[in-house]
Amino acid sequence: VMQCSASLDVLFLLDGSYSIGKGSFERSKHFAGKLCDALDIHPDRVRVGMIQFSSTPHLEFPLDSYLTKQEVKERIKRTVFRGGSTETGQALKYILHKGFPGGRNSSVPEVLIIISDGKSQGSTAMPAMQVKERHITVFAVGIKFPRWEELQVLASEPSERHLLFAGDAEDAANGLYSALSDPVCTATAPGCKVESHPCERRTLETVKELAGSYVCWKGSKQPNAVQASLCPFTRWKRVLIKHPSRCFRTVCPDPCDSQPCQNGGTCVPEGLDRYHCLCLLGYGGDIHCAAKLSLECGVDLLFLMDSSAGVTLEGFLRFKAFLKRFLQAMVGQDSPVSLGVAQYDDNVKVPIELGQHKGTLSLMRSIDALNFSGGRTLTGRALQYIAQHGFRSSPVFADVQDDLPRVVVLLTDSKSQDSVAEAAKYVKDQNIFLIGIGSSFMRAELTTVTGNPQQTIVYSDPQDLFNRMPELQRKICSVGNPEGCQAQSLDLAFAVDASSGVGLENFLRLRHFVRSSCLHFIINRDVTQIALVTYGSKAHTVFALDTHTSSSAVLQAIDQVPFLGDSASAGSALLHVHRDVMTVQKGARPGVNKVLVLLTNGGGMQDAAAPAQQLRHNGILVFVVVIGDTDRDTLLRVAGSPSYLVHISSYEDLQYYQGLIIERICEEARSPVNLCKPNPCMNQGVCILGPGSYRCQCHGWEGPHCESRVLRGDSPRSPALPPRSHVQWSPRGLQHLSRALQHSKRQ
């Protein structure tokens, strides 16, 4: 995020001794290349050169050899490790004698960047002081397990700004840019600032410790006698010592930190100061996902308003006001929606027939003219009448077929005095799509009418009714177009009970439910990833999160899932998901919400509460869908809350709850996410949250996710493998490591 573009001579002094070792030398080269990313390398601006030192200093390339950033970075990569003793003092004397080879004779600022472990064979204090007296800015960068006291002697004052650790290349680079800030290096984006944070410096030191005592023999005052005694003995031991320190970094505001996308939209950053919003269906009226001010979907839309005594005059007027405001906001002059309004009590009237009004003004006048009638609430009869007579609109041209989707929106706040179930079935048989709107106590009846809880809208108070306008708009426009989570990122796993308690026929119904649910999601690496686990007494991964990258591949794999048929253990399935499915190694993405849907008949749940709690603790929502009669208390312990428990009476009714389940999953996909849950760090690494990011603190491992073991040793020979008690290599372990490395590259 910094750009260093003033006139500047930068000389890298790389320790190439055996105490560094080839591995750490490669890390030194990587760090040098990282620093070059921000240097505006040009003959008239920043020049870069390199010296490698061990027993003797060796000029790798002078400052005037390479004139572009790409050339310098390529040459650094080609630098070969030399080996030898660590003669840092001699290297500094070489610079005192020769100056900066290829430099501009102190006419521009000179920066010396020493990358070393600080274990010099001779004294460095005097030559280091002489270098700094020549007004050369010296950065001392520790690599491997350095001697910080010696590096502190080498670095310019104040030493805390000029002493860096190459093990964290990003942090060290930021520290160096910060120290060189204005006028040499400046932030490339507004709002960026340099901040310090606590960190640790590491050294590996040899210490003497008392190991114990042994029996030894000493002389005695008595002649011809010796005396037994206990003598202490010591041994030398290598100890990793951590020193508290402060590091520096440049922090820039993430353009998505302010959560600019509304209504569940996903913010996608574009660089440091720009972003765009991925909006859900029914939103996108502006760049921030405001509700669209027009119904852009072509439907035949009929509002059926309750005008009975049960709804009262006040309720009828409230529905009129809602209808007027909805149509004013959503229906424009060029809207493809064909609109009608009907009202009912004992009888049904259609005062505004479909397509009767083209202009909004005449439509509003007709709605104002609707009068309250106050008879009995015969909702079933009204639905039957509308299915037969409500959509008999004559086409404008005889040869034009009116084949738009047909939608009825029922507005009622009074329980029906006749049966609605048969009438609702008749309406749906006529291929008419039903949406029900009413207050909370009407939920059960409205769900009977619509046949799908997702097509039911309930409100808690009069103002809440008006807040439901965007939701109604989405439901109208989702006819024939499954809404799903659209562009919301999600890692979703299904765990399906395939035990004998479920039976083959019902297992096939569960399999079909999973298959049709997957159609509601955009399946790829960036949006939704899906995994499937089946279980009996043991759990089996049918496919992992990162196995399939398209809907067709997922559907094909689901069709092949076999029935298992033994006893059920939901606990082992949840444990399997925790250990072997929702992990970074198996494709789980840090920073993405994670949901597990458990489909079961309620058998084998006794051991499931603890692993379910473990999943929730790691940021994974457990959604329990139970079919049939079973103990609710046990199910609640597994689900953790009634909100995440769906109890369905029969397998035949499962299809009617699909919309509700997907809607709940998508609500979770829009909730804030903890980047450290589940832990993205491997090998017992500790995940540490930062502003909009995380980092892994590794112990004995390294890499972005602690996937690479640190190999220690200063020998110039090929390093031998540690004893088997320390490292257990196995083909399976190597596969895990390989997958983790591939995943970290994708990240």
Side-chain angles (χ1 to χ4, degrees):
V1 299
M2 303 290 277
Q3 185 62 44
C4 306
S5 154
S7 293
L8 189 68
D9 282 354
V10 177
L11 181 63
F12 288 107
L13 190 61
L14 258 66
D15 186 342
S17 64
Y18 288 142
S19 67
I20 284 285
K22 194 169 183 181
S24 293
F25 183 74
E26 290 299 316
R27 280 196 285 279
S28 300
K29 284 162 53 179
H30 168 75
F31 175 64
K34 192 86 183 164
L35 293 181
C36 289
D37 285 336
L39 302 178
D40 185 9
I41 297 172
H42 186 274
D44 300 328
R45 292 186 286 278
V46 181
R47 293 186 184 183
V48 174
M50 180 184 282
I51 293 172
Q52 180 182 174
F53 72 93
S54 50
S55 304
T56 56
H58 173 81
L59 178 63
E60 294 291 346
F61 60 93
L63 285 96
D64 55 0
S65 288
Y66 301 103
L67 309 179
T68 68
K69 184 183 301 187
Q70 195 56 39
E71 288 175 345
V72 170
K73 289 181 73 173
E74 285 298 324
R75 178 60 183 83
I76 291 172
K77 280 183 184 176
R78 294 200 307 271
T79 305
V80 178
F81 176 66
R82 293 179 174 274
S85 57
T86 315
E87 299 289 350
T88 314
Q90 277 194 33
L92 294 174
K93 288 173 185 172
Y94 176 91
I95 292 168
L96 288 167
H97 179 62
K98 301 271 190 183
F100 274 34
R104 285 165 276 191
N105 300 322
S106 303
S107 60
V108 299
E110 294 177 321
V111 174
L112 178 65
I113 302 173
I114 306 171
I115 307 177
S116 170
D117 63 358
K119 297 173 183 175
S120 180
Q121 259 69 51
S123 173
T124 58
M126 185 58 71
M129 186 180 70
Q130 291 171 335
V131 165
K132 286 180 276 191
E133 282 174 353
R134 292 199 183 179
H135 304 292
I136 297 171
T137 303
V138 182
F139 287 91
V141 183
I143 191 80
K144 206 175 182 182
F145 299 109
R147 284 204 186 113
W148 293 106
E149 297 81 5
E150 184 172 318
L151 292 176
Q152 202 157 4
V153 170
L154 298 174
S156 293
E157 294 293 334
S159 61
E160 66 269 11
R161 294 295 299 269
H162 295 85
L163 197 60
L164 307 168
F165 180 45
D168 187 344
E170 292 280 356
D171 190 88
N174 278 325
L176 187 134
Y177 304 149
S178 304
L180 293 176
S181 60
D182 196 40
V184 179
C185 298
T186 52
T188 57
C192 296
K193 65 180 187 297
V194 175
E195 68 172 28
S196 67
H197 62 100
C199 60
E200 289 178 337
R201 310 288 189 195
R202 302 178 301 168
T203 56
L204 195 64
E205 296 182 11
T206 305
V207 296
K208 187 164 73 171
E209 67 172 12
L210 181 67
S213 302
Y214 63 99
V215 177
C216 56
W217 304 94
K218 296 182 179 178
S220 171
K221 292 179 181 178
Q222 298 174 2
N224 301 323
V226 291
Q227 182 178 344
S229 179
L230 288 176
C231 298
F233 70 93
T234 58
R235 66 180 172 206
W236 296 92
K237 180 181 175 184
R238 299 188 86 184
V239 180
L240 185 65
I241 298 176
K242 296 177 180 178
H243 310 277
S245 184
R246 294 202 73 77
C247 297
F248 291 83
R249 60 183 167 214
T250 307
V251 178
C252 292
D254 189 309
C256 289
D257 281 349
S258 60
Q259 298 181 333
C261 304
Q262 303 161 7
N263 300 309
T266 302
C267 182
V268 180
E270 295 176 348
L272 292 165
D273 54 356
R274 297 178 61 196
Y275 63 88
H276 70 270
C277 294
L278 296 174
C279 304
L280 297 176
L281 194 70
Y283 295 101
D286 64 7
I287 58 167
H288 296 124
C289 301
K292 287 183 180 175
L293 295 179
S294 136
L295 279 166
E296 293 183 354
C297 46
V299 293
D300 284 347
L301 177 61
L302 186 71
F303 285 91
L304 179 60
M305 289 173 58
D306 186 348
S307 179
S308 67
V311 81
T312 71
L313 175 61
E314 183 188 357
F316 178 75
L317 294 175
R318 185 187 309 135
F319 283 146
K320 268 178 66 171
F322 170 78
L323 190 54
K324 283 178 65 177
R325 195 183 299 182
F326 179 79
L327 298 178
Q328 281 173 326
M330 304 294 176
V331 181
Q333 197 66 39
D334 302 321
S335 175
V337 171
S338 180
L339 194 99
V341 179
Q343 63 181 95
Y344 74 94
D345 51 2
D346 296 87
N347 299 304
V348 185
K349 292 186 287 188
V350 187
I352 304 171
E353 292 190 355
L354 277 171
Q356 182 180 333
H357 295 283
K358 293 298 178 190
T360 311
L361 191 61
S362 63
L363 182 60
M364 292 303 121
R365 283 182 186 149
S366 295
I367 293 172
D368 280 333
L370 298 177
N371 292 315
F372 179 64
S373 48
R376 290 182 300 159
T377 312
L378 302 182
T379 308
R381 181 177 173 182
L383 289 169
Q384 187 109 9
Y385 180 90
I386 287 300
Q388 292 169 344
H389 308 289
F391 291 92
R392 285 192 170 179
S393 57
S394 56
V396 180
F397 302 104
D399 58 344
V400 175
Q401 288 294 96
D402 185 10
D403 59 352
L404 292 175
R406 298 185 296 173
V407 181
V408 171
V409 178
L410 173 65
L411 293 155
T412 179
D413 256 346
S414 175
K415 292 283 179 78
S416 180
Q417 292 170 262
D418 64 349
S419 172
V420 294
E422 284 300 316
K425 185 176 185 305
Y426 177 76
V427 172
K428 283 177 274 192
D429 287 345
Q430 307 307 307
N431 205 22
I432 295 171
F433 188 80
L434 280 168
I435 298 172
I437 301 178
S439 50
S440 312
F441 76 92
M442 291 293 297
R443 185 191 296 271
E445 184 170 303
L446 290 173
T447 302
T448 304
V449 170
T450 61
N452 186 344
Q454 196 183 17
Q455 299 312 129
T456 302
I457 298 174
V458 295
Y459 58 91
S460 53
D461 56 63
Q463 182 52 46
D464 189 38
L465 171 62
F466 293 93
N467 296 338
R468 301 291 174 172
M469 287 199 300
E471 186 181 351
L472 175 58
Q473 180 211 34
R474 290 203 312 280
K475 292 189 189 308
I476 292 169
C477 284
S478 68
V479 177
N481 180 10
E483 192 173 329
C485 297
Q486 296 302 311
Q488 207 69 39
S489 294
L490 178 68
D491 283 347
L492 173 62
F494 289 94
V496 180
D497 187 341
S499 67
S500 55
V502 170
L504 175 59
E505 186 181 349
N506 291 331
F507 170 74
L508 294 177
R509 286 196 177 102
L510 292 178
R511 194 173 79 176
H512 176 74
F513 175 81
V514 173
R515 190 185 196 282
S516 60
S517 297
C518 291
L519 292 169
H520 290 248
F521 298 93
I522 299 168
I523 298 172
N524 60 44
R525 289 272 183 266
D526 302 316
V527 186
T528 302
Q529 292 189 145
I530 292 182
L532 176 59
V533 171
T534 57
Y535 71 92
S537 56
K538 292 182 180 177
H540 307 269
T541 301
V542 178
F543 51 85
L545 288 166
D546 60 355
T547 304
H548 299 301
T549 57
S550 69
S551 293
S552 58
V554 167
L555 299 180
Q556 196 173 353
I558 292 170
D559 289 340
Q560 308 301 317
V561 179
F563 177 59
L564 300 176
D566 52 359
S567 60
S569 170
S572 66
L574 296 178
L575 206 58
H576 177 80
V577 170
H578 178 260
R579 291 177 176 171
D580 219 43
V581 176
M582 289 293 190
T583 64
V584 170
Q585 299 95 310
K586 295 298 172 71
R589 297 165 294 176
V592 172
N593 276 301
K594 291 166 177 56
V595 175
L596 167 66
V597 178
L598 178 68
L599 292 160
T600 175
N601 71 340
M605 300 292 280
Q606 299 81 6
D607 58 348
Q613 183 56 41
Q614 201 171 4
L615 284 163
R616 282 191 291 275
H617 178 71
N618 280 282
I620 301 158
L621 167 72
V622 180
F623 208 100
V624 181
V625 180
V626 183
I627 302 97
D629 297 327
T630 188
D631 178 27
R632 185 173 172 82
D633 290 341
T634 305
L635 298 174
L636 275 173
R637 282 198 297 274
V638 177
S641 159
S643 304
Y644 303 123
L645 175 63
V646 177
H647 206 152
I648 304 170
S649 57
S650 69
Y651 287 90
E652 290 79 8
D653 292 342
L654 183 60
Q655 57 180 323
Y656 300 126
Y657 287 82
Q658 185 176 63
L660 170 71
I661 292 164
I662 288 170
E663 192 171 31
R664 292 291 291 110
I665 290 170
C666 295
E667 282 175 22
E668 288 302 319
R670 293 192 287 272
S671 62
V673 67
N674 184 333
L675 294 175
C676 283
K677 288 189 174 183
N679 185 4
C681 309
M682 299 162 60
N683 301 305
Q684 285 77 52
V686 178
C687 180
I688 298 171
L689 277 174
S693 65
Y694 70 90
R695 63 185 177 87
C696 289
Q697 191 174 66
C698 311
H699 303 284
W701 299 78
E702 60 187 0
H705 296 103
C706 306
E707 69 275 4
S708 305
R709 183 179 283 280
V710 175
L711 296 176
R712 298 175 183 165
D714 294 347
S715 168
R717 300 181 301 278
S718 298
L721 274 177
R724 285 190 64 82
S725 59
H726 297 293
V727 180
Q728 294 285 337
W729 292 111
S730 68
R732 182 171 171 78
L734 288 169
Q735 285 167 12
H736 276 285
L737 183 58
S738 168
R739 276 198 290 269
L741 287 169
Q742 287 169 10
H743 179 72
S744 67
K745 285 176 186 171
R746 287 201 301 271
Q747 289 297 92

